[in-house]
């Protein structure tokens, strides 16, 4: 069995669902159910004995020790994190606690557990740390994409906390020999993404007839990857990755934010036309994010060459699937847009 952290969040829940759709190996899912964690994402696994959900904090060493002792996982796949840049600007403390202290706690618990394992379990064990391309900082328009050897230059509190966690993971390999793997992925999109991030926020606001907020000039560039492709990449690295190595995962798909917003409007115009006119009428340029990274781009040749992973979705097919999913799951969307969500939207957008 494997232990997944953060498996009730966006990527973690997609990972758990995909894992159990393609394998019978059970999953212990440790998640604190913060605002971003949602058991509704895992509703299709109700009654499935292969999924064991544990509500708890990755900073709780005694709990992590108990889970490792009771379930004897062959791997830990670590998604749990605070993940939203804008929230890290308003309140960085929780990012340091979960992303740095939480990863440290998991590493220490994993080290104690792994050290006491018998062969061959000790050789087979893996700690896979899921990270982001944001640790590499911001690119100029003509810079080559990030490779695994690009120096770290995190710019937001979120990116800095993830960079710190990556360094801890690296050090636990070099110093203690813990068999770790790290993945650094570009921006994900797809089903179950909390509507604070650009793509689901724009879909949700468009469906509600609200403004579509574009920060600054809308020309910041991100590399976008469908979440199912990221999950497949993580499974590939877990299975075949060389311990101690890092792998960049990306879609070769750089887009400006305004392009993304316009594309979503066009898909909604086609799939759910609004008698009031094109959704583009709702596009509103607002005050920029402080320290806003201009461009991210991923060079994914290492994982492609060494492990044979490639994205299955194009941006066009992935975005269409995603828009359809939100149209078909408006009850899910309404459920997550609760009082705390509205308070966040007021805090982040009222003064823009
Ligand atoms: P998310 O915010 O949707 O989910 C995070 C999950 O972690 C939630 O279920 C939350 O309840 C849980 N969690 C938070 N703090 C916890 C704690 N202290 N103990 C236990 N559980 C806790 O995030 P996501 O978008 O699914 O991202 C998952 C991982 O992938 C993160 O590590 C993130 O840095 C990384 N990543 C995300 C993206 C992206 O575009 N979303 C891209 C690259 C990498
Ligand atoms: P986001 O989804 O928050 O991901 P990240 O900051 O981790 O890349 O934002 C993606 C891009 O969209 C980023 O350049 C900021 C921009 N953005 C907006 O223009 N408006 C918004 O309301 C949000 C949430 C993001």
């Amino acid at each position: 069995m494997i232990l997944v952290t953060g498996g009730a969040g966006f990527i973690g829940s997609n990972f758990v669902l995909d894992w159990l759709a393609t394998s019978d190996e059970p999953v212990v899912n440790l998640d604190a159910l913060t605002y971003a964690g949602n058991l509704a994402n895992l509703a299709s696994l109700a009654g499935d004995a292969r999924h064991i959900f544990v509500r708890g904090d990755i900073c709780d060493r005694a709990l992590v020790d108990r889970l490792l002792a009771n379930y004897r996982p062959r791997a830990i796949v670590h998604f749990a994190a605070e993940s939203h840049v804008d929230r890290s600007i308003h309140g960085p403390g929780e990012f340091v606690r979960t992303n740095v202290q939480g990863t440290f706690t998991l590493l220490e618990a994993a080290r104690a557990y792994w050290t006491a394992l018998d062969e061959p379990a000790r050789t087979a064990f893996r700690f896979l740390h899921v990270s982001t391309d944001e640790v590499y900082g911001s690119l100029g328009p003509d810079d080559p994409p990030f490779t695994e050897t690009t120096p770290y230059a995190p710019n937001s509190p979120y990116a800095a906390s993830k960079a710190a966690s990556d360094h801890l993971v690296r050090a636990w390999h070099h110093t203690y020999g813990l068999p770790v793997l790290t993945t650094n992925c570009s921006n994900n999109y797809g089903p179950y993404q909390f509507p604070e991030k650009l793509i689901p926020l724009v879909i949700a606001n468009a469906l509600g007839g609200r403004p579509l907020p574009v920060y600054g000039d809308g020309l910041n560039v991100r590399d976008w990857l469908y979440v199912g492709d990221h999950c497949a990449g993580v499974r590939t690295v877990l299975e075949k990755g060389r311990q101690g190595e890092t792998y960049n995962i990306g879609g070769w798909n750089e887009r400006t934010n305004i392009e993304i917003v316009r594309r979503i409007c066009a898909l909604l115009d086609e799939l759910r036309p609004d008698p009031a006119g094109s959704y583009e009428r709702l596009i509103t340029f607002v005050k920029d994010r402080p320290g806003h990274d201009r461009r991210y781009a991923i060079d994914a040749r290492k994982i492609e060459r060494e492990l044979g992973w490639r994205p299955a979705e194009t941006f066009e097919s992935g975005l269409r699937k995603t828009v359809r999913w939100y149209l078909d799951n408006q009850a899910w969307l309404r459920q997550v847009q609760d009082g705390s969500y509205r308070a966040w939207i007021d805090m982040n957008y009222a003064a823009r």
Side-chain angles (χ1 to χ4, degrees):
M1 85 149 60
I2 62 167
L3 171 64
V4 169
T5 70
F10 162 48
I11 305 172
S13 62
N14 276 281
F15 180 83
V16 170
L17 292 170
D18 289 359
W19 181 272
L20 292 175
T22 52
S23 133
D24 274 333
E25 187 174 10
V27 174
V28 182
N29 183 350
L30 172 62
D31 194 297
L33 297 181
T34 67
Y35 78 93
N38 186 352
L39 283 179
N41 301 4
L42 301 160
S44 62
L45 297 176
D48 189 328
R50 300 170 306 162
H51 178 237
I52 299 151
F53 183 79
V54 179
R55 182 174 192 174
D57 193 324
I58 56 167
C59 298
D60 181 346
R61 174 70 192 268
L63 172 63
V64 177
D65 283 345
R66 214 159 51 240
L67 294 179
L68 293 172
N70 289 348
Y71 294 108
R72 322 285 309 156
R74 70 168 174 100
I76 297 174
V77 184
H78 174 34
F79 292 96
E82 288 293 332
S83 68
H84 187 35
V85 173
D86 292 316
R87 286 190 196 248
S88 82
I89 295 168
H90 287 278
E94 202 50 37
F95 286 72
V96 173
R97 198 188 77 84
T98 285
N99 300 0
V100 185
Q101 187 73 29
T103 302
F104 164 74
T105 306
L106 283 178
L107 285 166
E108 280 294 81
R111 180 164 77 92
Y113 167 71
W114 168 76
T115 305
L117 285 175
D118 294 334
E119 286 298 340
R122 198 176 135 84
T123 303
F125 184 77
R126 293 290 181 274
F127 183 105
L128 191 153
H129 174 59
V130 178
S131 193
T132 167
D133 60 357
E134 305 196 20
V135 298
Y136 299 120
S138 187
L139 293 168
D142 300 320
D143 289 338
F146 304 129
T147 70
E148 289 78 1
T149 55
T150 300
Y152 273 35
N155 289 322
S156 70
Y158 164 65
S161 68
K162 291 297 289 187
S165 68
D166 293 8
H167 291 327
L168 291 175
V169 171
R170 176 190 162 90
W172 261 239
H173 176 70
H174 281 266
T175 302
Y176 305 113
L178 189 71
V180 305
L181 299 155
T182 296
T183 56
N184 293 88
C185 189
S186 59
N187 284 53
N188 283 214
Y189 66 97
Y192 301 113
Q193 188 167 27
F194 193 76
E196 63 186 357
K197 306 276 168 65
L198 180 68
I199 289 180
L201 180 96
V202 165
I203 299 170
N205 281 13
L207 293 177
R210 295 184 294 277
L212 312 180
V214 176
Y215 296 167
D217 61 6
L219 297 179
N220 299 66
V221 172
R222 300 289 182 264
D223 171 278
W224 294 92
L225 182 69
Y226 188 70
V227 65
D229 282 324
H230 183 194
C231 293
V234 170
R235 290 199 303 277
T236 302
V237 171
L238 182 62
E239 195 189 321
K240 301 195 258 182
R242 286 183 291 132
Q243 54 171 290
E245 292 289 315
T246 69
Y247 296 90
N248 282 356
I249 307 182
W252 299 106
N253 181 56
E254 289 183 53
R255 309 268 161 161
T256 61
N257 294 337
I258 190 67
E259 253 182 287
I260 300 279
V261 175
R262 292 218 167 97
R263 194 60 211 131
I264 294 169
C265 290
L267 281 165
L268 285 171
D269 286 341
E270 177 196 328
L271 298 170
R272 191 183 179 275
D274 183 342
S278 169
Y279 290 95
E280 286 208 15
R281 74 186 191 282
L282 299 171
I283 292 175
T284 309
F285 288 86
V286 299
K287 192 166 153 229
D288 210 352
R289 171 189 279 171
H292 196 178
D293 283 340
R294 193 63 174 166
R295 174 175 166 240
Y296 303 143
I298 280 268
D299 181 334
R301 278 178 296 181
K302 180 176 174 184
I303 187 174
E304 292 177 358
R305 193 179 57 241
E306 290 189 13
L307 309 183
W309 171 89
R310 267 193 188 65
E313 299 289 344
T314 63
F315 185 66
E316 207 34 54
S317 66
L319 193 63
R320 183 173 285 273
K321 269 192 189 175
T322 303
V323 171
R324 271 193 202 283
W325 187 87
Y326 281 91
L327 285 172
D328 293 343
N329 290 275
Q330 291 186 56
W332 181 93
L333 197 53
R334 274 193 299 277
Q335 183 234 333
V336 299
Q337 291 176 307
D338 59 7
S340 68
Y341 175 76
R342 286 193 296 274
W344 161 253
I345 294 294
D346 284 349
M347 171 155 62
N348 193 44
Y349 294 97
R352 282 203 138 95

